[in-house]
Every structure is written in C-alpha cells, then in structure tokens.
C-alpha cells in the first residue's frame, strides 16, 4: 500500500499483551533451529540471511538496498496502532531444522492433534501444520499431481528453491509487482524475506486442482517474511491456495509477507488465503497482482486471528478488458484489530472489478474496511462495484469503513454499498426455538452472513472455516 | 393426564417491565389431540405462544408450563424445543445465507448425541417426504431460510419444519393469517399429516376458517389474558357467526364491539 491513506485508528489491542499464550489458539510445538539470526533488523542480519541461503550476488544487493529504503521510509503514519511492535525484540531469520530432523507425527502433542481434529483439518494438512511435512513425499495423491504438473511445465516450489533452480525466471519477475520502494513493510520484507511459494504456469496450461501451499515439502509459506511470486503465462488458468484456518502458532510476533502475482494476457488466476494467526501477531502483508489484457485475477482473503492485521489485496488492471475480484472476510475478536480491504486500480479501458467485504466484530474486536478504487484517465468504460457488510456481535464491538474512490474518467461506472448490522435477537430466538443452543444459533447467523464468500472456497476449506467460526463463537454467550 | 400432555397452569406474564398480558391462563392439550385457541385481537394469544417458547422479551410472573409433567419455565428456548415443544411463528424471521436443508440438519442433530448425527440418506428421505406432503418443489430445501419468501411460503416453511423435527407438541400461532384458501389447505394438510397418538397441538387462530380443514378436538377462547370459555368444535362455528362480545359479557368483561365477523376470503 502506498502511504496515501490517512491516520485514523487506535485499536485497544494492547490488552492482549502477555496473555496471548493463554487462549485456546496459542500453543507451542517443539522446534529446533539450525540457525537463528541475532535480534533486530540490521545490515549484519541481512548479510547473514543471504549468506545462509547461498544466494546470488544480485539478491544480496537487492536486500541491502531494501534495508536502506526501509530505514529512510519509516513506518506508515496511518492505520492501526503499531507502537507495540518492537523490531529490537524480533528474530528476523530462523532457519527451520533440516529435513532429516523433521518431527514425527507421533511427537506432536495430543492436544494439538485434538484441536486439528476438532477443526476437521485433512490429515495431510495437520501434518504440515505440525511440521511433519516430509511425510508428504509418500503421499500418492500429491506425487501423482506433481508428476502431472511437471509434465505440463508447471513450476511449484518454495521461493528459496525457486531462486536456486530458476535464477533467470525468478530474477525477471521478482519485485516487479511490489518494489521495495512501495511501502515500509514491503521494504522490510525485501530485506529479510525467506520462504513463500514460487509458481510458474506456462502459456495455455489449465490446472483444475488447486495448487496448495501445504503440498510444498519443507515449505515456509507460512513463515514470518514469506515472499511469494506467482506467474500466470498467457491463457493459463489456475487456483493457488495457502494457509488454513487452523491456529498457526508462531512465537514471533511479526509477520510481513509480500505476494506478487503476474497475470498475463487472458490468464485466469485465483489466490485464496485464510489465515488464523495466534493472537500476539502483527500481520502486515502486501498482496498485489498486475493483470494484462483480458486477464482475470481473483483474491479470496480471510483474516482471522492476529493482534493487528493490515492487508489490502491490490489489483492493477493494466490491460484492456482486464478483470479483478476481491472477496474479503475479517473476524475481529477481543483485543484484535482487523484492518483489511482491497485496492483496485483501473488503468485501461473496459476493465471491470468487484469487491465484496464481510467483516465481523466481537467483544472488543474492531474491524475496518479500507479500500481504494482508482480509475485513471483514459480507462474508458471501467466498471467497479464495492460492497462491504459489517456484522457486530455485541455492544462493545466496533466497525468502520474507509472507502476511497478516485475517478479521473467520465465514462466510469462505480458503485459502493455498505451495510452495518447487529446480531438480531429475533433471529437468535427463532433458531433457538428449533433446538439450537444460543452459541450455535449465533454461529449459524455468522456463517450465513459469510456464506456469499465461503461458498467460493473449495469444500474442505469452507468446512474448516465453519468449524473455526463455531469455535470462535463458543463461550460467547454471557 | 399430565404424564402425556402440554399443560399451562395459572400462567401470568408481562412484557419485560411492562403491563401484565397473561392473567392466569389454564389450559391442557393431551397428546393425541388438537385444540384450537381463539379470541379477539389483543386477548393475549400470541403472547401465550411466545411465552411458552421462551421468548426473552417476556417475563413470567406466576404459574407454570409443563411438558409431560415437567416444568419448562426454567429452560432456555432451545432446551424447550429439545424437550418436544415446537412453535410455528406468526412472523418467521429471515436468516440470510442459511439454507433450509442445512438448518434443519443442524436442528435435528441438536436433538441427538454427538457422534450419533443423522445420516445423509435418512435426513434427505425425511426432508423429501415433508416437502412432498406440502406439495412443494424439492428445490425449496436449498433456498435460504425465508430469504425472499412470500408470506404464504414462510407459513409453509413453518409446517415443513414441524414435520421434519417431529416435535411432540406444536403451537401454531395464526399460521392461517395472510393465506389464501389454497395455501390454507396445504398448511392444513401438513398439520393433519403430523396428527397421531403421539402428537398434540394448539392451533391459535382468529377465524374459524382454518378449523374447517384442521378439525379441533376442543376449542378454548381467550379474552383479556385468560381462558374464558371452552367447548367442542362447534364453539368455533358459533364464534364465527356471533363474534366475541357475547363471550366477554359471559366472562364479566365489557363488550368492545370490535368483532370482525368471519371475513371468509383474503383474511
């Protein structure tokens, strides 16, 4: 995000300090590290990271330049309160243990497995979450898929491996969508990035099965500073999914990823992510796609958990007839501030976009929709429609909307609709009168509210999302 | 009798911090019977229905409600439902994004132990049977709960739920209001399908019309927050021709002259 949105928010997030580990979504999994940087963000740390990864010279230079940019830029002066985010307390690089030392599923604590079962997470994914990813290699399903993809020329690797194995392709596209100059957190990520996914789908290749980040062996896609680069060549079509609704335990309190997507002519790319960070995490992510002629980009962005989230998937419609779509879910509970939304830039004629945002606030939670629709001069007949609906579950909960619309073209059609509703007592009584306990009734209303977005998810993710909402709603009856 | 009945004993209730609306209601519906509850507007019929179902807007100030001998007044609305009570609402709410099928499956499973959830086939068979009994198109089960439903469709949905949930006791709160004759017949067909030795119902209506299709075993008449007269099904006919004032007078209440004599069509 460019620093163009004003200062406005001071969420009451500090209360959770120190109790972040006490709630049901926080738990610790045994980990050992082969290498860990010293605390803080320094030139030395950046050099160490690059050295550890055995990177080409250009990447080291890129990292160091990004660090300088970050230092010059300083933090954004708008949006949620980040004053408790102290870089001097953070490890900017931890290399996960080597593959041969990977946890065994049997070593995963029973209560963690129980939570996964409660959420109904597919077993394969449970293992990934618990750091038992290596067992995947023996998974027939994945094996077959991988072979099929490889035959079609699809590249699907973690970004570090991608850089090593496809240095030219990587360099050609890397940081072309989100340059380090873009914003402070993008600069920080550029300096210390690690992990993420590298996806390349050749021209005309269509993939029906979603590419799921958890397929990646040793994937660090859910890491602190992941860097994902996705390239859809002309006419390709695919769906990339990452994250999951399971609580992602992370001892680090800062997550700042960068996702870059290039949608070439007539390509159709979907990116879905549902994240549920533990409640101590500052989740500040830059997600952006550029879309060329008649290409189509769809974002599905689910934000649960975390302490503060700032995430505004952006779509730059650069070619004539390009299309962008954002479906966004935010769920803010006690002490959380979800500051999420979307940006759509119409820079070519006959481009179309739609944004649907659904936010839920509970307890002292606060969710904000922050969005920008920009129509450049010459982008004739552009059409955009934005709909944001907020649901408040109780009296303390807060929601706000910051829709920015900039139109520099007369023929544009831009619609914006916003609704705020409160959980309705009559609906709760009605559902209870059919035998559903009060918390289940509330959860059902919430699920119904999210349904227009949830039904765009693959079934198993939709089921997970529903279970998660039920868990969030448990004990919400006072 | 109390072992197999829905029983209301000297029930007093008011709208929270408001005026008393129910002033000592006594009424018993034995299982296997269908009773009608009639009365002029404002007599407290709908309040009685909501109080029995546990609407938090109301406060019970005295008396009791029992299902098969067990008091339900301390129960939450959902516990009452699971104990066997069903209320067909006069104004069913809309719940966007929640399909009828999904909702009813959850409602049925709420009545069962964890791990003993209803099987998919069993559920759909049950649901389809109910849809058919109401001459409805099967696609209805995928529609969201009352979203965009006409008044008549909402009432039909209330009866559909009654058939699927198989509650022991049902209260139908003016299910006939706003229905044309054809819709009325469909609703009556559904209620009659639920009738049997294990089912008791209290059918609340302002008009005798519905009772041509759902023939009651007994008629109760309510006025000013109490049951003021009881009688056989013929009582409904008499109310239809004579109005309610004579009953008020009999009960020692002032006649109000607000009788709406049996508007037969488009009520």
């Amino acid at each position: 995000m460019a620093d163009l949105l004003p200062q406005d928010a001071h969420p009451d997030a500090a209360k959770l300090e120190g109790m972040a580990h006490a709630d049901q979504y926080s738990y610790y999994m045994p980990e050992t590290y082969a290498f860990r940087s010293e605390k803080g963000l320094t030139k030395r740390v950046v050099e160490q990271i690059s050295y550890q990864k055995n990177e080409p010279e250009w990447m080291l230079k890129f990292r160091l330049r990004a660090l300088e940019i970050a230092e010059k830029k300083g933090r954004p002066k708008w949006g949620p309160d980040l004053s408790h985010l102290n870089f001097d307390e953070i490890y900017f690089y931890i290399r996960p243990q080597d593959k041969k030392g990977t946890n065994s599923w049997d070593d995963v604590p029973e209560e963690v497995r129980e939570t996964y079962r409660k959420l109904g997470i597919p077993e394969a994914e449970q293992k990934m979450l618990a750091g038992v990813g290596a067992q995947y290699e023996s998974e027939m399903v994945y094996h077959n898929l991988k072979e099929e993809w490889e035959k079609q020329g699809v590249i699907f690797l973690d970004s570090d491996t991608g850089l090593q194995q496809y240095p030219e392709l990587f360099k050609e596209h890397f940081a072309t969508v989100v340059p380090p100059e873009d914003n402070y957190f993008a600069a920080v990520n550029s300096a210390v990035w690690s992990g993420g996914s590298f996806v390349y789908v050749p021209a005309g290749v269509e993939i029906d099965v979603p590419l799921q980040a958890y397929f990646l062996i040793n994937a660090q896609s859910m890491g602190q500073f992941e860097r994902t680069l996705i390239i859809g060549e002309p006419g390709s079509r695919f769906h990339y999914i990452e994250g999951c609704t399971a609580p992602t335990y992370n001892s680090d309190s800062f997550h700042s990823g960068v996702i870059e997507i290039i949608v070439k002519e007539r390509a159709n790319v979907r990116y879905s992510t549902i994240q549920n960070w533990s409640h101590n995490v500052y989740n500040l992510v830059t997600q952006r796609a550029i879309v060329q002629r008649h290409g189509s980009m769809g974002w599905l962005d689910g934000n649960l958990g975390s302490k503060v989230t700032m995430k505004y998937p952006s779509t730059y419609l650069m070619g004539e007839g390009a299309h962008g779509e954002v479906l966004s879910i935010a769920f803010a509970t006690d002490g959380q501030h979800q500051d999420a939304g979307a940006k759509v830039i119409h820079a070519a004629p006959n481009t179309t976009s739609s944004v649907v945002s659904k936010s839920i606030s509970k307890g002292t939670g606060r969710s904000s929709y922050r969005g920008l629709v920009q129509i450049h001069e010459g982008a004739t007949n552009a059409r955009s429609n934005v709909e944001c609906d907020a649901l408040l579950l109780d009296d303390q909960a807060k929601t706000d909307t910051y829709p920015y619309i900039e139109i520099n073209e007369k023929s544009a059609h831009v619609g914006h609709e916003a609704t705020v509703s409160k959980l309705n007592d009559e609906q709760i009584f009605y559902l209870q009168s059919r035998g559903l306990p009060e918390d289940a009734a509330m959860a059902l209303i919430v699920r119904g509210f999210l349904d227009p977005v949830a039904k765009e998810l693959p079934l198993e993710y939709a089921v997970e999302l529903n279970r998660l909402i039920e868990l969030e709603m448990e004990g919400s009856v006072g | 009798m109390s072992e197999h009945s829905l029983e209301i004993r000297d029930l007093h209730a008011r709208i929270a911090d408001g005026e008393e609306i129910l002033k000592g209601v006594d009424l018993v519906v034995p299982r296997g019977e269908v009773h009608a509850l009639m009365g002029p507007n404002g007599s407290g019929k709908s309040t009685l229905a909501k109080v029995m179902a546990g609407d938090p807007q109301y406060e019970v100030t005295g008396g009791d409600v029992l299902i098969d001998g067990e008091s339900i007044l301390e129960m939450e609305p959902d516990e009452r439902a699971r104990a066997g009570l069903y209320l067909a609402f006069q104004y069913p709410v809309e719940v966007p994004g929640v399909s009828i099928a999904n909702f009813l499956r959850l409602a049925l499973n709420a009545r069962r132990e964890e791990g003993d959830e209803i099987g998919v086939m069993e559920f759909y068979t049950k649901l389809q049977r109910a849809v058919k009994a109401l001459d409805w198109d099967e696609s209805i089960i995928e529609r969201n709960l009352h979203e965009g439903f006409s008044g008549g469709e909402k009432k039909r949905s209330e009866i559909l739920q009654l058939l699927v949930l198989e509650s022991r006791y049902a209260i139908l709160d003016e299910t006939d209001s706003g229905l044309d004759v054809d819709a009325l017949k469909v609703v009556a067909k559904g209620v009659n399908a639920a009738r049997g030795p294990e089912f008791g119902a209290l059918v609340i209506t302002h008009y005798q019309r519905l009772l041509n299709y759902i023939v009651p075993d007994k008629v109760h008449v309510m006025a000013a927050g109490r049951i003021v007269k009881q009688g056989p099904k013929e009582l409904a006919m008499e109310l239809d021709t004579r109005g309610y004032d004579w009953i008020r007078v009999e009960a020692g209440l002032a006649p109000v002259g607000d009788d709406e004599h049996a508007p037969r069509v488009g009520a």
Side-chain angles (χ1 to χ4, degrees):
Chain A
M1 289 299 281
D3 298 1
L4 46 76
L5 307 178
Q7 161 109 37
D8 36 56
H10 294 282
D12 190 9
K15 277 185 194 160
L16 266 198
E17 286 250 303
M19 55 176 282
H21 296 271
D23 68 294
Q24 61 180 324
Y25 298 127
S26 300
Y27 40 76
Y28 177 76
M29 282 172 260
E31 287 170 83
T32 54
Y33 304 106
F35 173 78
R36 187 163 76 177
S37 72
E38 61 199 44
K39 282 182 179 178
L41 180 58
T42 62
K43 191 177 174 209
R44 200 175 121 91
V45 166
V46 171
E47 282 167 351
Q48 277 178 344
I49 293 170
S50 195
Y51 175 77
Q52 284 288 330
K53 292 172 178 290
N54 194 23
E55 286 175 345
E57 180 71 16
W58 71 267
M59 185 57 83
L60 173 63
K61 281 187 180 155
F62 171 84
R63 288 179 184 275
L64 291 171
R65 187 168 68 87
L67 179 65
E68 273 173 35
I69 292 166
E71 282 165 354
K72 248 182 249 160
K73 239 183 166 52
R75 295 185 185 182
K77 293 180 176 50
W78 52 273
D81 179 12
L82 303 175
S83 58
H84 295 272
L85 177 58
N86 182 2
F87 280 5
D88 296 338
E89 291 300 314
I90 290 169
Y91 294 107
F92 279 81
Y93 179 61
I94 299 171
R95 192 173 76 191
Q97 60 193 87
D98 295 327
K99 192 166 147 189
K100 62 177 190 295
T102 302
N103 297 333
S104 142
W105 179 237
D106 295 331
D107 296 337
V108 177
E110 177 54 30
E111 67 269 20
V112 173
R113 286 194 260 172
E114 179 57 33
T115 307
Y116 291 160
R117 271 195 293 274
K118 245 179 154 174
L119 283 166
I121 296 165
E123 193 179 323
E125 194 179 329
Q126 294 183 18
K127 290 183 176 170
M128 184 281 298
L129 286 164
V132 198
Q135 295 197 2
Y136 257 119
E137 219 151 6
S138 57
E139 298 266 336
M140 276 313 286
V141 179
Y142 172 61
H143 221 72
N144 292 343
L145 284 172
K146 204 177 147 199
E147 265 178 29
E148 203 179 303
W149 293 333
E150 275 168 7
K151 265 187 235 160
Q152 293 174 301
V154 173
I155 300 168
F156 183 30
L157 296 168
D158 70 86
S159 293
D160 292 297
T161 312
L163 171 62
Q164 299 292 342
Q165 292 188 6
Y166 300 91
E168 291 311 310
L169 192 61
F170 197 90
K171 191 177 176 184
E172 183 189 337
H173 296 93
F174 180 79
T176 57
V177 182
V178 182
E181 292 84 357
D182 187 79
N183 70 74
Y184 175 74
F185 292 108
V188 171
N189 172 284
S190 298
V192 299
W193 75 269
S194 199
S197 301
F198 177 57
V199 178
Y200 175 86
V201 180
V205 172
E206 300 191 5
I207 306 175
D208 292 330
V209 183
L211 297 160
Q212 307 195 32
Y214 75 77
F215 280 159
L216 292 177
I217 296 158
N218 285 341
Q220 300 168 41
S221 57
M222 299 292 284
Q224 257 184 290
F225 304 106
E226 88 272 17
R227 185 89 191 195
T228 287
L229 177 55
I230 296 173
I231 303 151
E233 288 290 340
S236 63
R237 170 193 289 270
F238 58 96
H239 185 186
Y240 171 89
I241 300 183
E242 87 158 39
C244 53
T245 55
T248 313
Y249 178 76
N250 198 327
S251 56
D252 310 304
S253 55
F254 179 36
H255 168 247
S256 185
V258 168
I259 316 297
E260 300 183 271
I261 302 180
I262 298 157
V263 183
K264 298 194 179 171
E265 281 187 31
R266 294 185 195 279
N268 184 318
V269 179
R270 284 170 71 199
Y271 178 100
S272 300
T273 177
I274 292 194
Q275 295 185 338
N276 182 26
W277 296 96
S278 53
H279 291 190
N280 58 331
V281 170
Y282 286 88
N283 182 35
L284 314 169
V285 180
T286 306
Q287 301 185 160
R288 185 177 305 162
I290 53 174
V291 189
Q292 297 172 359
R293 279 166 56 90
H294 299 290
S296 174
M297 176 67 213
W299 297 96
L300 191 149
D301 190 38
N303 296 302
L304 301 110
S306 86
K307 180 172 178 174
V308 173
T309 287
M310 293 172 75
K311 193 129 81 74
Y312 324 94
S314 311
T315 312
Y316 283 66
L317 303 170
M318 306 307 288
E320 181 163 4
H323 175 70
E325 234 174 81
V326 182
L327 296 171
S328 168
I329 293 176
F331 197 134
T333 69
D334 283 329
Q336 298 181 329
H337 188 178
Q338 304 283 4
D339 197 278
K343 266 173 85 174
V344 187
I345 314 297
H346 291 255
N350 300 314
T351 46
T352 52
S353 67
S354 98
V355 176
V356 177
S357 157
K358 298 262 179 186
S359 75
I360 296 159
S361 312
K362 176 181 166 233
T364 58
R366 169 174 175 186
S367 51
S368 310
Y369 171 80
R370 192 182 300 275
L372 171 69
V373 173
Q374 203 176 60
I375 305 213
H376 288 194
E377 198 182 335
T380 48
N381 298 316
R383 285 177 178 272
S384 178
N385 194 53
V386 178
E387 185 190 324
C388 31
D389 301 320
L391 179 64
L392 299 173
L393 298 191
D394 42 55
D395 292 334
Q396 298 168 280
K398 280 195 233 164
T399 183
D400 29 43
T401 310
Y402 307 99
Y404 297 86
I405 299 174
E406 297 170 17
I407 302 175
N408 296 305
E409 175 56 56
K410 273 192 193 135
S411 58
H413 297 265
V414 176
H416 177 89
E417 227 179 291
T419 67
V420 178
S421 48
K422 281 196 69 175
L423 201 58
N424 178 320
D425 290 342
E426 273 180 65
Q427 286 177 328
I428 295 170
F429 172 58
Y430 183 85
L431 297 178
Q432 274 193 280
S433 80
R434 298 305 184 243
L436 297 178
E438 189 174 359
D439 54 357
M442 287 162 73
L444 189 60
I445 294 167
V446 170
R447 281 168 52 176
F449 173 76
L450 293 178
D451 183 66
V453 175
K455 71 184 176 199
E456 299 297 323
L457 282 169
L459 186 64
E460 61 179 28
Y461 284 82
V463 168
E464 269 182 47
L465 182 65
N466 284 342
R467 295 247 169 91
L468 185 75
I469 288 162
E470 272 161 28
L471 281 180
E472 290 278 6
M473 299 301 293
E474 258 176 29
S476 57
V477 180
Chain B
M1 170 163 359
S2 67
E3 279 305 297
H4 297 286
S5 67
L6 175 62
E7 193 177 345
I8 304 161
R9 284 187 197 155
D10 192 29
L11 188 65
H12 292 254
R14 59 182 187 182
I15 204 146
D17 298 324
E19 204 182 316
E20 192 169 66
I21 301 171
L22 302 184
K23 299 171 180 167
V25 179
D26 285 289
L27 196 159
V28 178
V29 182
R31 234 191 273 174
E33 295 188 12
V34 171
H35 290 193
L37 178 63
M38 302 183 72
N41 288 331
S43 57
K45 305 187 300 288
S46 284
T47 298
L48 178 65
K50 288 181 197 161
V51 167
M52 289 170 78
D55 189 331
Q57 283 188 73
Y58 297 93
E59 192 182 321
V60 172
T61 50
D64 208 349
V65 178
L66 304 101
I67 289 181
D68 295 342
E70 196 191 340
S71 173
I72 61 168
L73 286 186
E74 292 300 314
M75 294 182 182
E76 292 294 316
D78 52 302
E79 294 171 313
R80 299 180 192 202
R82 296 197 297 273
L85 187 67
Y86 181 86
L87 170 63
F89 282 66
Q90 187 175 1
Y91 304 108
V93 297
E94 295 185 12
V95 187
V98 175
S99 75
I100 288 186
N102 190 20
F103 164 57
L104 281 175
R105 196 175 44 77
L106 288 171
L108 276 174
N109 284 335
R111 289 162 168 74
R112 301 164 74 117
E113 293 295 314
E114 216 178 310
D116 181 39
E117 284 82 8
I118 189 166
V120 174
M121 281 311 290
E122 187 191 348
F123 172 65
Y124 277 98
T125 309
K126 198 187 266 271
L127 190 51
Q128 276 165 349
R129 201 183 302 141
V131 167
K132 212 171 255 177
L134 293 168
D135 301 332
W136 225 348
D137 190 87
E138 225 175 86
S139 63
I140 195 72
I141 64 170
E142 292 306 329
R143 282 180 62 186
N144 290 334
L145 198 57
H146 305 149
E147 215 179 353
F149 277 35
S150 69
E153 282 176 321
K154 285 182 184 171
K155 298 299 175 75
R156 221 196 289 196
S157 158
E158 294 296 285
I159 304 304
L160 176 78
Q161 296 175 46
L162 168 67
L163 293 179
V164 172
L165 297 176
E166 296 176 325
S167 302
R168 267 176 294 162
Y169 298 101
I171 307 164
L172 276 58
D173 187 8
E174 304 213 12
T175 300
D176 53 334
S177 67
L179 295 188
D180 62 26
V181 174
D182 289 336
L184 195 71
K185 282 182 184 168
V186 170
V187 162
K189 191 179 156 200
V191 176
N192 288 328
R195 279 180 106 148
E198 292 303 316
F199 176 73
L202 185 63
V203 178
I204 298 174
T205 179
H206 194 85
Y207 308 110
Q208 184 271 339
R209 190 178 66 146
L210 176 67
L211 305 178
N212 289 334
Y213 304 103
I214 304 173
V215 180
D217 296 296
K218 204 169 180 181
V219 176
H220 307 261
V221 184
M222 198 166 181
R226 284 185 295 120
I227 303 296
V228 293
K229 196 173 181 66
Q230 297 181 328
K233 62 174 186 280
E234 288 75 16
L235 177 58
M237 299 286 210
E238 198 176 350
L239 290 169
D240 201 38
T241 46
R242 292 180 63 191
Y244 287 105
D245 262 357
W246 64 278
I247 295 223
R248 287 178 196 272
V249 173
E250 253 187 35
L253 298 163
V256 291
D258 67 343
D259 284 346
E260 299 165 48
H261 279 236
R264 299 214 172 262
V265 199

